[in-house]
Amino acid sequence: MTPRELLLGGFRAAVASVQATAVLPPHLPESRPRDGRLLVIGAGKAAAAMAACVEAERPESDLSGLVITRHGHGVPTRRIEVVEAGHPLPDAAGQSAALRLLDLVRAANPADQVLALISGGGSSLLSLPVDGISLTEIQRVKIGRAS
C-alpha cells in the first residue's frame, strides 16, 4: 500500500464514519408516539441526509416535518419536507422556512414527539431575526460590513 492509498483510505473511512446512516440510528426514539406523531424538524448542512435516514429507519412511524439545509445539499425524502437556503450567508428562503418550522412546533400537541436534527450550519440556515433586526443587518454582520 502506498502512502497515498493509505491516506485516501483513512480519509474515506473518516467520512463514512460520520454519515447520518452511521451515526443517527442508535440515537433515534425506540418507538413511535402512542397517540401522536413523530415531528421531525432540523437545520444544518446534514439536515436533509439525517431526515432521509429517519425516514428509512422509521418507515412505520406517523412522521412528518421540515428541515432546512444548504443550497445543493437536499436529498429526496417522502414525508419530511426539505428546504434549501443560504449558508454561510442567511437568506430569505431560510428565514421563511424558519418561520414555517416554528409554526410546525407551535402546532404540535402533547402526544407528539419532536425530533430536532441540528448539524453544522444550523445558525445560518435557521435565521429568524427578532423584531427590530432585519435579515439584511444579519447578512452585513456575517460578511463583516456592519455599517
Side-chain angles (χ1 to χ4, degrees):
M1 177 178 291
T2 68
R4 177 179 170 77
E5 292 169 335
L6 177 67
L7 291 172
L8 283 174
F11 173 77
R12 288 184 185 113
V15 170
S17 73
V18 296
Q19 296 301 305
T21 54
V23 177
L24 194 55
H27 303 285
L28 294 176
E30 290 186 21
S31 61
R32 66 184 290 266
R34 185 175 300 160
D35 297 321
R37 64 192 165 118
L38 180 59
L39 176 61
V40 179
I41 60 166
K45 293 174 287 191
M50 290 189 293
C53 179
V54 171
E55 286 187 347
E57 291 291 319
R58 296 291 182 265
E60 77 289 348
S61 293
D62 180 15
L63 67 87
S64 62
L66 170 68
V67 297
I68 309 164
T69 193
R70 180 181 186 174
H71 290 293
H73 284 69
V75 298
T77 55
R78 294 179 318 278
R79 296 173 286 166
I80 302 167
E81 182 182 356
V82 175
V83 173
E84 294 184 1
H87 177 279
L89 197 61
D91 63 12
Q95 185 175 14
S96 174
L99 280 169
R100 291 181 49 221
L101 193 145
L102 184 59
D103 287 342
L104 281 175
V105 173
R106 284 181 174 153
N109 69 56
D112 293 337
Q113 215 174 28
V114 178
L115 176 63
L117 305 172
I118 309 296
S119 67
S123 62
S124 288
L125 294 163
L126 198 55
S127 289
L128 191 53
V130 296
D131 288 340
I133 297 178
S134 71
L135 180 61
T136 302
E137 290 170 315
I138 290 175
Q139 291 169 333
R140 285 183 184 149
V141 168
K142 283 259 196 191
I143 59 174
R145 291 188 300 192
S147 57

